[in-house]
mmCIF file of all heavy atoms in Angstrom:
data_model
loop_
_atom_site.group_PDB
_atom_site.id
_atom_site.type_symbol
_atom_site.label_atom_id
_atom_site.label_comp_id
_atom_site.label_asym_id
_atom_site.label_seq_id
_atom_site.Cartn_x
_atom_site.Cartn_y
_atom_site.Cartn_z
ATOM 1 N N CYS A 307 52.606 90.276 96.158
ATOM 2 C CA CYS A 307 52.767 88.915 95.642
ATOM 3 C C CYS A 307 51.396 88.078 95.887
ATOM 4 O O CYS A 307 50.909 88.056 96.995
ATOM 5 C CB CYS A 307 53.918 88.261 96.338
ATOM 6 S SG CYS A 307 54.065 86.539 95.941
ATOM 7 N N PRO A 308 50.947 87.557 94.845
ATOM 8 C CA PRO A 308 49.620 86.695 95.019
ATOM 9 C C PRO A 308 49.918 85.392 95.782
ATOM 10 O O PRO A 308 48.912 84.863 96.263
ATOM 11 C CB PRO A 308 49.299 86.316 93.534
ATOM 12 C CG PRO A 308 50.540 86.544 92.733
ATOM 13 C CD PRO A 308 51.387 87.505 93.446
ATOM 14 N N ASN A 309 51.125 85.007 95.969
ATOM 15 C CA ASN A 309 51.398 83.777 96.595
ATOM 16 C C ASN A 309 51.641 83.999 98.165
ATOM 17 O O ASN A 309 51.003 83.305 98.930
ATOM 18 C CB ASN A 309 52.643 83.186 96.030
ATOM 19 C CG ASN A 309 52.868 81.764 96.472
ATOM 20 O OD1 ASN A 309 51.982 80.985 96.566
ATOM 21 N ND2 ASN A 309 54.113 81.500 96.727
ATOM 22 N N CYS A 310 52.439 85.034 98.485
ATOM 23 C CA CYS A 310 52.691 85.223 99.982
ATOM 24 C C CYS A 310 52.082 86.469 100.545
ATOM 25 O O CYS A 310 52.264 86.762 101.621
ATOM 26 C CB CYS A 310 54.200 85.102 100.249
ATOM 27 S SG CYS A 310 55.094 86.440 99.492
ATOM 28 N N ASN A 311 51.453 87.206 99.591
ATOM 29 C CA ASN A 311 50.737 88.517 100.029
ATOM 30 C C ASN A 311 51.745 89.593 100.610
ATOM 31 O O ASN A 311 51.280 90.501 101.241
ATOM 32 C CB ASN A 311 49.695 88.325 100.977
ATOM 33 C CG ASN A 311 48.535 87.467 100.332
ATOM 34 O OD1 ASN A 311 48.223 87.659 99.190
ATOM 35 N ND2 ASN A 311 48.009 86.496 101.101
ATOM 36 N N LYS A 312 53.016 89.416 100.318
ATOM 37 C CA LYS A 312 53.958 90.449 100.697
ATOM 38 C C LYS A 312 54.168 91.416 99.550
ATOM 39 O O LYS A 312 54.113 90.984 98.374
ATOM 40 C CB LYS A 312 55.252 89.810 101.162
ATOM 41 C CG LYS A 312 55.205 89.212 102.584
ATOM 42 C CD LYS A 312 56.477 88.692 102.991
ATOM 43 C CE LYS A 312 56.389 87.956 104.320
ATOM 44 N NZ LYS A 312 57.269 86.862 104.400
ATOM 45 N N THR A 314 56.423 93.198 96.954
ATOM 46 C CA THR A 314 57.717 92.915 96.388
ATOM 47 C C THR A 314 57.885 93.823 95.227
ATOM 48 O O THR A 314 56.972 94.520 94.826
ATOM 49 C CB THR A 314 57.781 91.437 95.989
ATOM 50 O OG1 THR A 314 59.077 91.166 95.441
ATOM 51 C CG2 THR A 314 56.765 90.986 94.939
ATOM 52 N N CYS A 323 59.419 86.817 93.234
ATOM 53 C CA CYS A 323 59.106 87.469 94.436
ATOM 54 C C CYS A 323 60.260 87.455 95.347
ATOM 55 O O CYS A 323 61.053 86.512 95.441
ATOM 56 C CB CYS A 323 57.897 86.769 95.069
ATOM 57 S SG CYS A 323 57.503 87.354 96.761
ATOM 58 N N MET A 324 60.488 88.584 96.047
ATOM 59 C CA MET A 324 61.682 88.647 96.975
ATOM 60 C C MET A 324 61.558 87.761 98.120
ATOM 61 O O MET A 324 62.535 87.405 98.814
ATOM 62 C CB MET A 324 61.967 90.082 97.410
ATOM 63 C CG MET A 324 62.500 90.963 96.264
ATOM 64 S SD MET A 324 62.324 92.704 96.625
ATOM 65 C CE MET A 324 64.046 93.028 97.183
ATOM 66 N N SER A 325 60.341 87.431 98.552
ATOM 67 C CA SER A 325 60.163 86.690 99.824
ATOM 68 C C SER A 325 60.029 85.231 99.497
ATOM 69 O O SER A 325 60.576 84.351 100.210
ATOM 70 C CB SER A 325 58.928 87.146 100.533
ATOM 71 O OG SER A 325 58.788 88.585 100.446
ATOM 72 N N CYS A 326 59.141 84.875 98.514
ATOM 73 C CA CYS A 326 58.863 83.443 98.380
ATOM 74 C C CYS A 326 59.406 82.973 97.023
ATOM 75 O O CYS A 326 59.164 81.771 96.660
ATOM 76 C CB CYS A 326 57.435 83.182 98.487
ATOM 77 S SG CYS A 326 56.433 83.912 97.134
ATOM 78 N N LYS A 327 60.028 83.772 96.180
ATOM 79 C CA LYS A 327 60.570 83.448 94.895
ATOM 80 C C LYS A 327 59.534 82.964 93.913
ATOM 81 O O LYS A 327 59.881 82.322 92.924
ATOM 82 C CB LYS A 327 61.648 82.326 95.093
ATOM 83 C CG LYS A 327 62.828 82.721 95.929
ATOM 84 C CD LYS A 327 63.822 81.721 95.961
ATOM 85 C CE LYS A 327 65.210 82.255 96.511
ATOM 86 N NZ LYS A 327 65.061 82.528 97.956
ATOM 87 N N GLN A 328 58.321 83.289 94.102
ATOM 88 C CA GLN A 328 57.244 83.025 93.170
ATOM 89 C C GLN A 328 57.543 83.808 91.866
ATOM 90 O O GLN A 328 57.683 85.025 91.969
ATOM 91 C CB GLN A 328 55.898 83.460 93.759
ATOM 92 C CG GLN A 328 54.726 83.571 92.861
ATOM 93 C CD GLN A 328 54.184 82.238 92.417
ATOM 94 O OE1 GLN A 328 54.321 81.245 93.205
ATOM 95 N NE2 GLN A 328 53.550 82.173 91.315
ATOM 96 N N LEU A 330 56.842 86.140 88.937
ATOM 97 C CA LEU A 330 55.798 87.142 88.733
ATOM 98 C C LEU A 330 55.969 87.788 87.330
ATOM 99 O O LEU A 330 57.104 87.850 86.910
ATOM 100 C CB LEU A 330 55.827 88.215 89.815
ATOM 101 C CG LEU A 330 55.699 87.737 91.277
ATOM 102 C CD1 LEU A 330 56.095 88.864 92.175
ATOM 103 C CD2 LEU A 330 54.325 87.288 91.510
HETATM 104 ZN ZN1 ZN B 127 55.804 85.986 97.379
#
Side-chain angles (χ1 to χ4, degrees):
C307 174
N309 192 42
C310 64
N311 294 322
K312 280 183 188 146
T314 182
C323 171
M324 287 165 99
S325 324
C326 69
K327 298 185 168 68
Q328 162 80 25
L330 302 167

